[in-house]
Amino acid sequence: MTVANFSSEIIYADNAATTPLDADALNLMLELQKKFFANPSAAYKLSRPLKKILRQSREKIAACINAEPNEIIFTSGGTESDNHAIKSVVLEHLSERPNIITSAVEHKAVLNSCAAMKNLGCTVTKLPVDQCGAVDPLELKKNILPQTAIISIMFANNEVGTIQPIKTLVEIAHDAGKIFHTDAVQAVGHIPVDVKHSGVDMLSASAHKFNGPKGVGFLYIRDGLKVLPYIDGGAQEFSMRAGTENVPAIAAMALALEKNCRDMKIIAEKISTCVDTVIDRLKNNGIDFIINGGDNRLPGHLSLSFKGIGGESLMHRLDLKNICVSTGSACNSRQTTTSHVLRALNVPKEYIGGTIRISFGKKNSTVDARIIGDRLTELLRAVAD
Ligand code: PLP
């Protein structure tokens, strides 16, 4: 995907950080912004269309993950959904010094929610991962304590793309009578996510990761699961999340998700081809590299590690060539320490510092991938000379 940027064109391959807004979703959002201003909670007829849009959006989103509409609450995005899921469960049990089980490769939205709860007196168990980034179900089984209040393990990793064995992990959690939350921010809209099949109790998602607008997302809460509200105030969102809903953004999120789910297979094939193209290009050019995250990865994710160059430097050099990739997760891109995810994967020390993440999205083409492979080759050869 090339985007006009003043006089030059940029190849955007950082879709794990955020995705471009789908054109139909943008048009819908603008149209609704122009047409409606009423508060969706009001009782007069001016609010009726907004209530209807909210209901239809909830139905569409629920259908995309095989949930029921009353199991979806709209939030401001992945971070809020993760905070809500973890904190609302833990705070209810605070006097019992509850335990949270999570993994070593979670996004900061989960890790820092756990850290905040630790400061209030609960304990946090961080499960290790194997070299591919996957949690061993036996490790989960071994670590469940009587006082474990919630288990939060991500569906797919944002830095290396590893997909976790969620269904197996959920079965273990449920056998022990524990609540299971998954941060599915990188998975929803990209790979099949079925809450009934996987059995998760709660699931976080964010619109801007699936070509929807920023600042909006949702939290799935299984019907019957008793969870406290996280934001207190009015009675919106079944009294679970107070605050006047951003109806145009919610409608755009629902449309973007519906479109991505409809086209999921075609998009996945296209972006896997992009990933293979970069890998082939580097291999054919004799470049030495490691692919992180194992074989069971998100289709558009490619975390590569090289020797003899820093990932940060590589990212900036690619930027000078009008190619956007990242060194890790976007939220950590200003951090200079090695990523906690790469450390958890035990990426060899000669390679770990030279890691970049390329993430393709539905707007990318194999031409983009070929250019990225060639520019990377030129840069790495220049450094080696
Ligand atoms: N969880 C994961 C796995 C993510 O990749 C991100 C965003 O990078 C988030 C949570 C936070 O989502 P948001 O940006 O919508 O707050």
Side-chain angles (χ1 to χ4, degrees):
M1 174 217 183
T2 53
V3 280
N5 179 39
F6 306 110
S7 58
S8 58
E9 297 242 300
I10 290 185
I11 294 178
Y12 182 76
D14 196 18
N15 288 272
T18 196
T19 52
L21 185 53
D22 177 86
D24 294 331
L26 172 63
N27 287 336
L28 176 64
M29 195 160 72
L30 293 174
E31 189 194 315
L32 297 179
Q33 278 298 4
K34 279 192 216 150
K35 222 162 136 186
F36 302 113
F37 71 92
N39 189 318
S41 297
Y44 34 73
K45 64 173 178 285
L46 204 57
S47 295
R48 250 173 251 152
L50 292 147
K51 282 192 178 60
K52 187 172 170 195
I53 295 164
L54 272 184
R55 178 172 48 74
Q56 289 173 337
S57 302
R58 213 182 297 280
E59 285 166 3
K60 276 185 195 170
I61 286 173
C64 288
I65 61 164
N66 196 21
E68 302 304 321
N70 65 339
E71 296 176 317
I72 304 294
I73 66 164
F74 299 126
T75 67
S76 66
T79 301
E80 183 189 319
S81 299
D82 287 342
N83 272 263
H84 187 151
I86 294 166
K87 294 181 180 175
S88 59
V89 170
V90 170
L91 289 173
E92 212 181 341
H93 297 276
L94 205 55
S95 59
E96 299 147 35
R97 285 185 53 96
N99 164 259
I100 311 171
I101 298 182
T102 187
S103 85
V105 293
E106 298 296 314
H107 189 271
K108 293 284 177 185
V110 165
L111 290 179
N112 287 342
S113 292
C114 294
M117 294 298 92
K118 194 173 173 185
N119 285 339
L120 295 182
C122 68
T123 61
V124 178
T125 309
K126 275 190 211 165
L127 300 179
V129 291
D130 64 16
Q131 276 194 328
C132 299
V135 171
D136 178 353
L138 289 178
E139 277 295 320
L140 172 61
K141 200 170 182 171
K142 250 176 29 200
N143 279 283
I144 296 177
L145 300 169
Q147 66 271 31
T148 299
I150 186 167
I151 297 161
S152 180
I153 295 174
M154 68 200 322
F155 208 109
N157 185 264
N158 49 303
E159 289 191 37
V160 295
T162 312
I163 300 169
Q164 298 293 347
I166 290 295
K167 191 172 160 55
T168 311
L169 297 170
V170 170
E171 278 164 11
I172 291 169
H174 285 176
D175 282 350
K178 305 300 179 189
I179 296 172
F180 193 99
H181 163 253
T182 187
D183 174 340
V185 165
Q186 293 287 338
V188 168
H190 300 285
I191 54 173
V193 172
D194 180 326
V195 290
K196 292 203 175 76
H197 179 255
S198 65
V200 294
D201 298 300
M202 285 188 281
L203 176 145
S204 303
S206 174
H208 75 100
K209 306 289 185 176
F210 52 76
N211 306 93
K214 290 163 187 53
V216 62
F218 64 90
L219 176 64
Y220 158 81
I221 305 177
R222 183 178 51 73
D223 193 23
L225 183 73
K226 285 217 170 61
V227 176
L228 293 176
Y230 176 61
I231 294 182
D232 298 308
Q236 294 92 347
E237 298 304 300
F238 315 112
S239 294
M240 288 302 291
R241 199 274 186 182
T244 304
E245 296 93 341
N246 183 348
V247 179
I250 289 169
M253 163 166 71
L255 179 59
L257 184 57
E258 197 177 41
K259 283 185 72 178
N260 276 23
C261 289
R262 185 195 65 198
D263 302 336
M264 189 177 279
K265 231 174 140 200
I266 300 164
I267 298 170
E269 270 165 26
K270 187 169 90 156
I271 58 182
S272 314
T273 309
C274 289
V275 165
D276 293 344
T277 303
V278 175
I279 295 170
D280 288 348
R281 219 70 182 174
L282 295 176
K283 273 190 188 153
N284 294 340
N285 289 327
I287 302 294
D288 172 35
F289 65 94
I290 294 178
I291 301 170
N292 303 307
D295 291 334
N296 189 24
R297 298 195 316 267
L298 290 167
H301 266 59
L302 182 59
S303 167
L304 296 172
S305 297
F306 305 95
K307 266 199 284 202
I309 185 163
E312 179 103 6
S313 159
L314 202 46
M315 187 259 287
H316 287 302
R317 285 171 204 228
L318 285 169
D319 190 26
L320 289 174
K321 292 184 181 290
N322 289 337
I323 293 171
C324 297
V325 301
S326 76
T327 49
S329 74
C331 327
N332 292 340
S333 60
R334 289 213 194 97
Q335 243 169 262
T336 44
T337 51
T338 315
S339 126
H340 66 284
V341 175
L342 299 175
R343 273 186 278 125
L345 263 68
N346 259 324
V347 175
K349 68 172 184 324
E350 323 84 87
Y351 289 88
I352 195 166
T355 304
I356 55 165
R357 177 188 68 185
I358 301 167
S359 48
F360 292 106
K362 67 177 181 178
K363 295 274 181 73
N364 286 114
S365 66
T366 45
V367 176
D368 296 344
R370 276 203 296 275
I371 295 173
I372 294 175
D374 288 346
R375 297 293 168 272
L376 257 177
T377 302
E378 288 160 20
L379 289 173
L380 291 159
R381 280 190 180 149
V383 172
D385 286 347

